[in-house]
Amino acid sequence: MRNFSSCCIKQEFLKKWIKGLQVCNSSTTCSKNKMTNLDRKKAIKLSADIAMASTRNGTTRWSNAVIANATHSNGDNNRIFFERILGGGDGGGRHCPEHCGRTKASRSVSSVMHKKILKKSRRVCSRTVLGRKHNLAKTHSIAKKLVRKKTQVLKSLVPGGESMDELSLVVETLDYIVSLRTQVEVMRCLATTAELINGT
């Protein structure tokens, strides 16, 4: 993660998530309608997603996509909910420049990935050809198909991934995975604490 320690991220996520749950709870106690279990589940997920994305302060594309999807999916209700969690605005309106510039480190990661995919495609090709001489064009074709297929799957998994190039997609995916892991660790810790308090 960029510019954050794991402990700070967990604390920031927990603080925003608890605030989101409080906002959700206060909005249900003010309204006359009781929340169903499905509504409660959606509210918990929404507050967790917004808290996770807002800890990144608009520095990643996936966090901007999560916030945009959350605020536009249910109209004004989610927008009001989002503003109450963060105290107004869209996370401070801080957006960093795009991560499109290729650095030496990113090129080396990219080249290592391409080499691994090429080796895998050669193995696949060698299994299908069985004893014939390897055709380099066919190997490259298989490698390109594998890369395209894996890239499309990854783009569908990462919020906002459809509009990213391959290098940005890898960088954003790594950041998204770390954020998801942090979210799971905090939720697991909170669930364990709740079980200990309730004595179950």
Side-chain angles (χ1 to χ4, degrees):
M1 303 273 309
R2 298 174 204 116
N3 303 326
F4 285 105
S5 70
S6 179
C7 185
C8 291
I9 293 171
K10 289 177 185 177
Q11 287 175 351
E12 186 72 17
F13 168 72
L14 183 60
K15 182 174 74 173
K16 290 182 179 183
W17 188 41
I18 289 174
K19 187 172 184 181
L21 294 174
Q22 289 170 342
V23 167
C24 179
N25 187 37
S26 67
S27 65
T28 56
T29 55
C30 293
S31 69
K32 294 179 181 177
N33 299 335
K34 289 283 185 177
M35 259 187 150
T36 64
N37 283 340
L38 182 62
D39 291 336
R40 189 173 291 119
K41 179 181 172 184
K42 286 179 182 178
I44 291 169
K45 181 171 178 4
L46 177 66
S47 63
D49 288 345
I50 290 174
M52 180 180 63
S54 65
T55 57
R56 302 305 295 138
N57 293 324
T59 58
T60 58
R61 291 183 192 178
W62 70 261
S63 64
N64 291 333
V66 166
I67 290 170
N69 290 341
T71 56
H72 297 302
S73 66
N74 196 9
D76 288 337
N77 291 340
N78 284 357
R79 186 169 297 135
I80 292 167
F81 180 70
F82 176 72
E83 288 175 0
R84 287 180 68 191
I85 289 174
L86 298 180
D90 62 343
R94 289 174 276 187
H95 299 281
C96 79
E98 301 293 322
H99 302 293
C100 295
R102 292 181 179 251
T103 61
K104 286 184 181 179
S106 61
R107 276 191 221 130
S108 66
V109 169
S110 180
S111 65
V112 168
M113 288 176 41
H114 291 296
K115 286 178 185 177
K116 286 183 180 181
I117 292 171
L118 191 59
K119 282 182 183 179
K120 185 175 182 180
S121 66
R122 283 183 180 149
R123 275 185 264 147
V124 169
C125 188
S126 68
R127 282 186 223 136
T128 58
V129 173
L130 294 177
R132 287 189 234 151
K133 198 173 185 180
H134 291 289
N135 184 354
L136 190 59
K138 189 172 184 177
T139 304
H140 282 290
S141 168
I142 292 171
K144 285 181 181 179
K145 286 179 186 176
L146 284 170
V147 169
R148 241 181 276 132
K149 185 178 176 183
K150 299 292 182 185
T151 302
Q152 288 303 317
V153 170
L154 195 55
K155 283 185 175 189
S156 68
L157 293 173
V158 176
E162 295 82 18
S163 63
M164 293 181 210
D165 65 343
E166 288 154 358
L167 182 64
S168 298
L169 183 65
V170 170
V171 172
E172 293 286 323
T173 302
L174 292 173
D175 191 77
Y176 186 57
I177 289 169
V178 170
S179 295
L180 286 174
R181 182 177 291 160
T182 300
Q183 184 182 29
V184 168
E185 288 173 3
V186 170
M187 290 177 157
R188 186 175 290 144
C189 184
L190 196 62
T192 304
T193 304
E195 286 177 2
L196 290 174
I197 291 172
N198 293 333
T200 55

